[in-house]
Amino acid sequence: MNDLAVYLARRAADLHLYPQEVGQAHPETLRVFVQTVLEELVALGLLSGREEPGCWATPRSSGH
């Protein structure tokens, strides 16, 4: 089994998403899971996404 599949299964379980109950799932829960899946697909290069990495680090000073 690959790491991505295990990660997504864990994420679904954490969100209490189960195939037989998707129709009753809260829309925000589904949005969070779909966002996770899409981010992983972008990270793998399978979908286009933001060009810049999603990093909140402060840029390095150019003063040296």
Side-chain angles (χ1 to χ4, degrees):
M1 192 172 318
N2 72 44
D3 293 340
L4 178 58
V6 171
Y7 170 71
L8 293 176
R10 253 190 231 131
R11 190 71 180 118
D14 289 346
L15 292 168
H16 304 287
L17 285 175
Y18 304 101
Q20 63 274 20
E21 298 171 7
V22 168
Q24 292 81 34
H26 190 276
E28 179 62 14
T29 302
L30 292 173
R31 188 201 63 76
V32 169
F33 185 72
V34 168
Q35 185 67 40
T36 300
V37 171
L38 293 174
E39 287 171 357
E40 293 299 324
L41 293 174
V42 168
L44 290 170
L46 298 171
L47 290 176
S48 62
R50 289 185 286 159
E51 297 302 318
E52 74 282 350
C55 179
W56 296 99
T58 305
R60 290 186 181 192
S61 170
S62 59
H64 291 302

